[in-house]
Amino acid sequence: MKPLTKTDFILYRNCPQNVWVKIHEPSQYSKFEVSDFEKSLTVMGNEVEEIARGMFPDGYLVEKRSDGAQELTKTLVEQKASVIFQAVFATEKYLAATDILVWNASADAYDMCEIKMSSTTADEESEVADDEEGKNEKPAPKKSSGRELQFEYDLAFQANVFENCGVKINKKYLIRLNKKYKKAGDLDFSENQLFITEDKTVAIDDLMPRVLIEMEEAHHLLSPAEMPTRPCPCYYRGRSSHCTAFSYINKDVPEYSVHDINRIGNSKKLLKELLDEGILHIEKVREDQLPKIKEAKEGQKPSKPRKQNQVAVHKSKKPIRDIYAIKAELSSLQFPLYFLDYETYPHAIPFFDGYHPYQHIVFQYSLHVLNAEDFKAGLPPKHFESLILDGDPAERLVESLCTNIGETGSVISWYKKFENSRNRELAELVPLRFEFLHSVINRTYDLMDIVDNQHYVHHGFKGSSSIKKVLPVIKDLLALPKNVLDYNVLAVKSGTDAIEAYRKILKGEIVGSAVEKKKQEMLEYCKLDTEAMYIIWKFFTNLVAQSVQDGKTAER
Ligand code: SF4
C-alpha cells in the first residue's frame, strides 16, 4: 500500500470503507459522484490557503508530493528556510504535507501552521471578544467539538510524521478566518484581522501518542486486499449523511428507503428499530412504528406529522390535501405578487469592502410580477431580472429591485429565511434602502410553507419540500411537457452551478464572448426558479378554487 496520507487518515476516521475503496479500487472510487457543492468547497479551500500565505510574504512553495518534492523539502529544512509552504515528508507508511512551516530561531525548531477555511465559531468569537476587553484573561480550556477534534487530529498526524522524519516541531497553530472581520481596502493580514491564529500546541502534544496508535490501526486495517468488514456506520444514519459510495457498499438498500423518511437522521432510535427489523422499504413501515403526534404544549406550535404523512402517501399514492389550510395561507397574499429569487456567492475571503468572510454576494435576482388585473385576465406575470458581474453588485441590484417592487403587494420566496437574511445584509450594505428592504422582509411569504407545513403532501415529493423535488410533481399533475420548466436541460442547472459561473467570471477564468454566453445561461436558470414558484402558486390557487367549488376541502 502507498503511504497513507493525512487526508485519507482523516477520511478513515469517518469511514474506513470509503477510504479502502479509494486506495484499492481507485477506478471505482472515481465513479462516485463528487457533488458540485463539494467541488466548490475544494476550490474555496485552496483559495483560502493561497490567500493565507499572504501572512508570510517570503515563503517558499513546494509544489508537489513526489520524491523530488520530498528531497527539496529536506534541503529547505536543513537550510533552515524561514517559511516553507506545503513542506512534504514521508515515511514508509505515511505521507504528510503541511500548509506552513515557520522557522523559530529561539526554539531552534519549526512552528507548524494548518490553515482551515472554516471561520471561527460563535463561541470562539465571543471568547476572542472577551479576551480583547480583558474580561477573560485565561479562558478555561474547552472540550474540543467534533470539528475541532478533527482539526487537532489533522495537526497531530502531520506533527507525528514530521517528527518521525527528524524535523523538530515547536508550536502547532491553527489559522482560520475571522468572521467578524470586515474588509476595508486591502486585506488585513495583521493579528486577529482576516485570520485568527490559535495556538494548539498543548492539545496536539497531548493527542500525538493517541493519534500515532490510530495511524497504526488505520494502516493495518486499510492494507489488506479485502474491504474492512465493519458495518457501514452510515447505515444507521439518514440519507443526507451518506456519501456517494453508500449504494456501492450497501447494495441491499433501495434507492428510496427508510433512510429517506423526513428527518429520520434526528430519530436514530426509530431508524435503528426499522433496520434491525429488516425494514428497508418505506411501504413496509407500520403505522404503530412511527412516533405518536404529541399534543402541542401551551404557546408552542403543534408538531407536524411529516414522517406519518410521507409513509401514508407512499402507500396510498393519494396526496394529502388540506384545502382550508392552503386557502388560509394563500388568502394572506396581496396583489401584486412578486415572485423573487436571489443567486448569491458566499465568498470565503471577502471580495468587496464592507463584506465579512463568507458573507453572501447577492449578484442576481429574478422577479416575476403578477398584478390582479393580469391574473383575472388570465395573463402571465411580467418578468424582471438583474445580473451584475462587475464590482460590488449590492447597490445596483437593490436599486433595480426598488424600481420593480412596489410599495404594496406580497413578495413570494421559496425558503424565505434565505432571501430575508440576504435582505438584512443588503440593508446594511445599502443603508439608504434600509426601509425598502425591511418592507420586503415584512411582506415576504414562504410558498414552501404549504408543503413544509403538510397542507399538501404528495408521494412524489419523497418527504422533501425542496422546489427541485416539488416542481416535477406539479408539472406532471398539470400535464406539462417534460422539457418545459426543466432544470436538467439548462447549462446552469443549480445554485451551485450559478455560484461557480459567477466565481469564474469574477476571477477572470471566463472571458470575452464566453462571458455573455454564461450570463444568458445564468439568467435562464434564475428565471426558471421564479417561474416555478409562479406555476406552483397557480396550481395551489386553482386547487383551492376547484375544491371549494366541488365541496372537497380536506382529503387524506
Ligand atoms: S455512507 Fe458508508 S461508505 Fe459512505 S461515509 Fe458513510 S459509512 Fe462510509
Side-chain angles (χ1 to χ4, degrees):
M1 187 176 107
K2 278 198 212 155
L4 185 69
T5 64
K6 177 193 75 178
T7 310
D8 287 350
F9 173 66
I10 298 297
L11 277 176
Y12 157 86
R13 295 197 67 246
N14 287 326
C15 175
Q17 285 93 332
N18 191 311
V19 189
W20 184 91
V21 179
K22 188 177 174 207
I23 293 169
H24 293 277
E25 295 182 7
S27 56
Q28 178 61 46
Y29 194 80
S30 63
K31 287 187 206 152
F32 300 149
E33 212 180 299
V34 179
S35 72
D36 292 340
F37 178 67
E38 284 167 317
K39 281 185 217 157
S40 70
L41 283 185
T42 309
V43 171
M44 235 191 264
N46 293 340
E47 214 173 281
V48 171
E49 196 184 314
E50 264 174 47
I51 299 276
R53 288 182 198 147
M55 297 166 81
F56 306 91
D58 299 322
Y60 192 102
L61 175 65
V62 178
E63 304 232 22
K64 295 196 174 107
R65 304 279 188 270
S66 59
D67 290 350
Q70 290 167 37
E71 274 307 310
L72 174 62
T73 304
K74 213 171 147 207
T75 310
L76 289 168
V77 166
E78 278 164 7
Q79 291 170 351
K80 299 182 181 172
S82 58
V83 178
I84 311 171
F85 302 131
Q86 292 300 316
V88 57
F89 275 102
T91 64
E92 210 182 302
K93 290 181 178 174
Y94 311 108
L95 182 142
T98 196
D99 291 335
I100 305 174
L101 274 188
V102 183
W103 178 246
N104 185 331
S106 57
D108 194 29
Y110 271 101
D111 291 339
M112 179 177 264
C113 308
E114 174 72 6
I115 301 160
K116 289 291 169 207
M117 65 180 282
S118 79
S119 57
T120 46
T121 64
D123 281 356
E124 287 153 356
E125 280 175 36
S126 62
E127 215 173 79
V128 170
D130 285 350
D131 284 351
E132 280 166 1
E133 288 165 23
K135 290 181 201 158
N136 192 2
E137 280 172 16
K138 279 192 183 172
K142 290 199 308 182
K143 214 174 158 218
S144 300
S145 68
R147 190 179 64 160
E148 283 301 297
L149 196 60
Q150 181 180 311
F151 295 161
E152 289 168 9
Y153 262 74
D154 220 318
L155 267 165
F157 180 96
Q158 296 168 52
N160 273 329
V161 175
F162 275 53
E163 292 204 342
N164 204 290
C165 293
V167 185
K168 205 172 141 206
I169 301 296
N170 176 45
K171 294 279 186 185
K172 289 99 183 166
Y173 294 112
L174 198 59
I175 298 178
R176 53 184 154 172
L177 288 163
N178 174 14
K179 230 179 169 182
K180 284 187 165 179
Y181 170 76
K182 194 191 261 191
K183 185 173 183 290
D186 290 341
L187 291 173
D188 188 345
F189 292 112
S190 55
E191 213 174 317
N192 290 338
Q193 291 303 314
L194 176 59
F195 289 102
I196 287 188
T197 303
E198 296 160 70
D199 186 350
K200 289 278 183 185
T201 311
V202 175
I204 306 302
D205 288 349
D206 271 3
L207 198 60
M208 280 171 68
R210 175 146 55 105
V211 171
L212 194 57
I213 294 171
E214 278 196 40
M215 286 162 69
E216 287 293 313
E217 278 171 6
H219 196 275
H220 178 72
L221 204 78
L222 293 170
S223 295
E226 291 86 43
M227 193 189 295
T229 50
R230 281 187 206 176
C232 182
C234 295
Y235 188 69
Y236 290 108
R237 293 188 194 139
R239 184 71 70 184
S240 59
S241 303
H242 297 174
C243 77
T244 46
F246 183 84
S247 56
Y248 178 75
I249 292 163
N250 299 279
K251 296 197 170 70
D252 56 327
V253 177
E255 205 181 314
Y256 183 48
S257 69
V258 290
H259 298 90
D260 295 285
I261 293 177
N262 190 292
R263 301 179 192 197
I264 194 84
N266 298 335
S267 309
K268 293 206 168 59
K269 191 166 163 259
L270 169 63
L271 181 59
K272 188 164 183 332
E273 277 168 12
L274 293 172
L275 292 169
D276 288 351
E277 217 185 284
I279 297 176
L280 282 167
H281 292 267
I282 293 182
E283 59 266 30
K284 297 271 166 57
V285 178
R286 297 186 311 274
E287 212 172 300
D288 65 283
Q289 291 179 301
L290 295 168
K292 302 266 168 301
I293 300 298
K294 289 183 202 137
E295 292 281 313
K297 288 189 192 141
E298 215 185 304
Q300 282 183 354
K301 285 188 184 168
S303 60
K304 300 179 185 82
R306 293 188 172 95
K307 294 183 178 60
Q308 293 79 351
N309 287 349
Q310 185 184 350
V311 172
V313 294
H314 183 73
K315 288 182 185 179
S316 71
K317 301 287 184 276
K318 272 181 68 186
I320 291 171
R321 319 175 325 161
D322 184 342
I323 302 297
Y324 275 132
I326 301 174
K327 190 170 177 235
E329 296 265 350
L330 295 181
S331 57
S332 69
L333 301 177
Q334 280 184 2
F335 282 98
L337 302 180
Y338 299 97
F339 298 88
L340 175 66
D341 186 61
Y342 291 144
E343 298 306 326
T344 71
Y345 180 23
H347 199 235
I349 306 285
F351 210 78
F352 305 115
D353 283 358
Y355 285 75
H356 301 280
Y358 288 108
Q359 182 166 343
H360 290 254
I361 302 168
V362 185
F363 57 84
Q364 180 176 10
Y365 78 79
S366 169
L367 179 73
H368 275 88
V369 183
L370 183 67
N371 61 45
E373 296 73 41
D374 285 351
F375 174 57
K376 278 185 203 132
L379 294 171
K382 294 183 178 61
H383 184 243
F384 302 91
E385 61 194 355
S386 175
L387 169 58
I388 298 169
L389 297 169
D390 61 318
D392 180 5
E395 210 172 304
R396 286 169 286 166
L397 192 122
V398 171
E399 286 312 312
S400 170
L401 273 177
C402 227
T403 311
N404 296 322
I405 296 184
E407 285 174 9
T408 58
S410 299
V411 179
I412 300 177
S413 288
W414 195 275
Y415 190 56
K416 72 173 183 184
K417 214 171 149 191
F418 180 81
E419 260 69 25
N420 278 348
S421 297
R422 303 298 74 80
N423 285 329
R424 267 179 223 105
E425 288 160 4
L426 284 170
E428 255 190 55
L429 290 166
V430 191
L432 275 176
R433 295 299 183 189
F434 183 92
E435 269 180 38
F436 163 73
L437 288 159
H438 278 268
S439 136
V440 169
I441 291 170
N442 294 333
R443 289 188 280 148
T444 298
Y445 167 74
D446 197 338
L447 189 58
M448 190 180 83
D449 280 353
I450 293 179
V451 177
D452 196 46
N453 289 340
Q454 305 290 290
H455 303 328
Y456 189 90
V457 186
H458 193 283
H459 67 275
F461 297 165
K462 296 189 171 172
S464 165
S465 48
S466 152
I467 197 165
K468 304 280 189 306
K469 280 269 164 60
V470 173
L471 179 65
V473 173
I474 303 295
K475 264 178 58 184
D476 278 356
L477 293 169
L478 293 170
L480 294 177
K482 195 171 173 333
N483 60 348
V484 171
L485 293 172
D486 186 359
Y487 288 99
N488 294 320
V489 301
L490 299 180
V492 171
K493 302 180 187 1
S494 64
T496 319
D497 282 356
I499 288 176
E500 192 51 9
Y502 178 72
R503 186 193 69 76
K504 285 186 171 165
I505 294 170
L506 200 68
K507 300 280 159 80
E509 291 171 30
I510 297 179
V511 287
S513 59
V515 173
E516 194 47 41
K517 184 169 175 279
K518 193 50 83 184
K519 190 174 170 180
Q520 290 313 315
E521 293 168 357
M522 293 164 84
L523 289 170
E524 266 184 70
Y525 166 71
C526 196
K527 184 179 177 190
L528 202 154
D529 270 345
T530 49
E531 211 172 339
M533 274 192 259
Y534 162 66
I535 294 293
I536 295 170
W537 166 83
K538 201 167 124 187
F539 169 81
F540 286 131
T541 302
N542 289 341
L543 181 73
V544 169
Q546 191 60 50
S547 304
V548 170
Q549 199 181 323
D550 298 347
K552 292 181 185 170
T553 43
E555 270 180 27
R556 291 188 71 93

